[in-house]
Each structure stands twice: as structure tokens, then as C-alpha cells.
Amino acid sequence: MARTLYNCFLYLVFPLFVLRMLTRSLNMPGYRRRFSERFGILDTTNLKGSNIIWVHAASVGEVFVATPLIKSLLTNYPKFKLVVTTTTPTSSDLITQAFGDSVFHVYVPWDLPGSVKRFLNNVEPKLLVLIERELWPNIIHQTNFRGCAMVLVNARLSERSASHYEKFSSIASSMLTSLDIVACQSEEDAHRFISLGLSPKQIVVTGNMKFDLEVSATLEAERNEFIESSGLTSRFVILAASTHPGEEKAILESFAKVKKKNENSILILAPRHIERCDDVSKECFSKNWQVTRYSEKMPINAEHDILLVDTMGDLLKLMGVANLAIVGGSFVPHGGHNMLEAAVWGVPILTGPYTRNFDEIAKLLVSSGAMLQIQPELLSSNLLKLIDDKDMSLRMSKAGKKLMKNNRGSKERTLTLISNLLG
């Protein structure tokens, strides 16, 4: 009955949802491309007769988690074909960039009964791997009905999300009990899932897979080559990553104060959404900054103040170039972004007060001494402090690397669970 009401509501609001997506496509044309995939209409000729593992990674954050796991699945299960679904154009581009034709990539179907049914008829997965908390009633119900095993990996559930699910306890309980395994990031997450009706027998605490991020020898070589070719060897590099509207202004004002005391400094500015780069560039030019774009692949000379990152998939490499990292989405009430891309390189981190999406990681980084969590008005003073205090920066660098090393292992524990499900 609850799912019937959910479906009725979904059909009522669906036209508004499509309108919203088409509106978003005015800035990001990717939202109106491959539209039929969202209705489960696919050409799956190349999948016929294959055993399928379906991995769903909704957005950029989930793709970050899924990428190392997908690489391992491709290696460990060469007789299976991997179907990888995403929700956003940006995450779609990242999957295509990382894997090309080695996986079958499409958009996930909308959670409409017909769309999900068409998708499952076309794909016929043996195992569904969901990343973090991507739970949709019709996808879960129909996948379970077909006898497909399901595992929710790197699962997290904040108090806020748990209270939201409690309002729809019937649907939430039905979804959770349909899952074979929930691999949680922490004991706190596990307790919240149990409070929603999940059996403790279905739960395994595997840790946070984000800590399994590693810098490959190839990536390190690319980083070193970029430093040499771009002329950054002698520059002090501050990288502001995944910034949102309202953050660039504060960052640019802080950088201006840094520049007065350290003329050799340069800011690498990477907006979270690259379609905003034109607006961000105008803001930089309005303050008389000399800006070059990463996509132009031009040498950076002494006159350049800012390198604007207008490409996808390069942030991890560029993080290795930085002497200090500012992680955005945290100086405005967005919830923060992944700080571990800086920690894996041993780059000291500054972040704002709004980190609810990465609450546990933020606490670990702060308590270990790898990150400073500050108010926006204190950004410039802390930047100057870290530039001047090399011993403090070195301690933060070592703390970040140590934290990453001590928390690895979630991916291997998750792969063991998947192996058990596949028999």
C-alpha cells in the first residue's frame, strides 16, 4: 500500500521533475542528452548472454568511491560484464573518462515502475552494488523480485537522514529488508540502519572506502611533469577545490591578503561545477587578477595569479601540486566535499564549518591534526599562518598521510562480501 501511494505521488510530480531537469539543461546540456536511458530504453546488444554486475554511483562523490571498486571488479571478474549507472552528466563524464568501453555505462532509470522494469528486462543483473545511500523503492522492489542479489556498500546514514526515513518507515523498512548486505562505514551508521528495521545479521561494518584512495606511480609522474612544464616549481600553490557560489569571493579576498605578503603565491581555483567557470573567471578579472585556464594547456608565467580549473577528472592530480588546500562546499551551508584527496598527498587542509556530508572524516582529520576547520572570516589569517609556520604545515602533512594509511582496507573487505554473494 505504501509503495502504491509512493508511485501515485511520483506520477503526479513527475512532470515538474522533468521540467526542472530541462531547466538545468540550459546551463548543463548533458541533462537533456540520452534522455531515453532514463526511461530504461537501452541498446543492450553487447550484453546479451552475459553475467552482469550492476554498479550504481549517483553523483561525483559516489563515483569517487566506486572507481577503485569497479577497477577491482573488472580484474576479479573477467567473465562478468559491468553495467555502471549514474544520475548526473558530470558523474557520467567521469565514468566514461575513467573506464571508456571497459564498462557499459548508461543513466540510471527514473524510479517509475515502467522505467525500472524496462531497464531490468534489458540488463538482467545478477548482482546490484549500490553506493552509500542510493535507495529507491521501485528499483529495490523490482530487483529483489527478480532474485538479484543486492549490497549497499560504503553505507552511511546521518541522524538527519535517519529521521527523514522514519517518517516513511513502511517504505524504508521494506527497502532495507530486501537488501542482502549493508556494508556500513561506522558503528554509528549501523545502529541507525538497525533502528529503521534492518536486521543486525544483514550489517557488516567495513569502514570508509574513501580512505582506500591511493596515488599511483603514473599519477605521481603526471603531477611531477605538470609542475615542471607549468613553471610552478618555485611558486607557493594554494588550491581551492570544489568551490560554490559565495565562496569564491571570500577566497579571492583572502588570497589578495596572502599575495601582499607572498608575491610568489598562486591560486588554483577549481569550481565544483565547471559550467560556472565563465562567471568565476569574470569575478577574478573584475579584481584585476591575471587568470589562465587549465584547459588551455599554456605555460604559467610569473604574471599569472590564478589557474582556473575548467576540466573534469584532474583535481586529484592538481591536489598533489598544492602546498595548501582549501576544500569548498564548507564555507557555505552545502555540507562540504571530500578532503581526503588532499590528505592522500599530505597537503595541509583548511575547511569551513559546514561539513555535515563528511562529518566523520572531518572529525578524524581535525583530531589527527591534518586539517583546520575555521570560520570564513579566519581564512586569510590561517593561510598566512600556515605559509609562515613550516613546521606546523609539515606536521599536518604527516598527520594526513598517517590517517589515510591507518584507515585503509574497506575496499578489500567489501570485495570479500561481494565474492560471497556471487558464490
Side-chain angles (χ1 to χ4, degrees), residues 61-62 64-70 72 129-132 151-155 183-186 206-214 338 340 361 404 407-415 418:
E62 288 81 8
F64 179 90
V65 172
T67 297
L69 183 65
I70 292 170
S72 294
V129 181
L130 299 160
I131 308 294
E132 294 201 336
V151 55
L152 179 64
V153 306
N154 214 51
C184 291
Q185 294 183 18
S186 69
T206 53
N208 194 330
M209 230 186 303
K210 288 185 172 75
F211 284 103
D212 285 300
L213 175 67
E214 293 185 288
N338 191 2
L340 298 182
I361 289 175
M404 293 294 292
N407 285 276
R408 287 195 175 106
S410 175
K411 185 187 76 169
E412 292 305 318
R413 289 187 283 272
T414 300
L415 286 168
I418 288 173

Side-chain angles (χ1 to χ4, degrees), residues 234-266:
S234 60
R235 304 288 293 270
F236 189 92
V237 181
I238 300 170
L239 190 149
S242 301
T243 59
H244 288 256
E247 292 186 309
E248 289 92 4
K249 183 176 184 292
I251 290 168
L252 291 174
E253 289 175 353
S254 296
F255 181 61
K257 295 176 182 178
V258 169
K259 196 74 171 172
K260 287 179 181 179
K261 293 194 175 184
N262 190 327
E263 292 184 0
N264 200 37
S265 58
I266 184 170

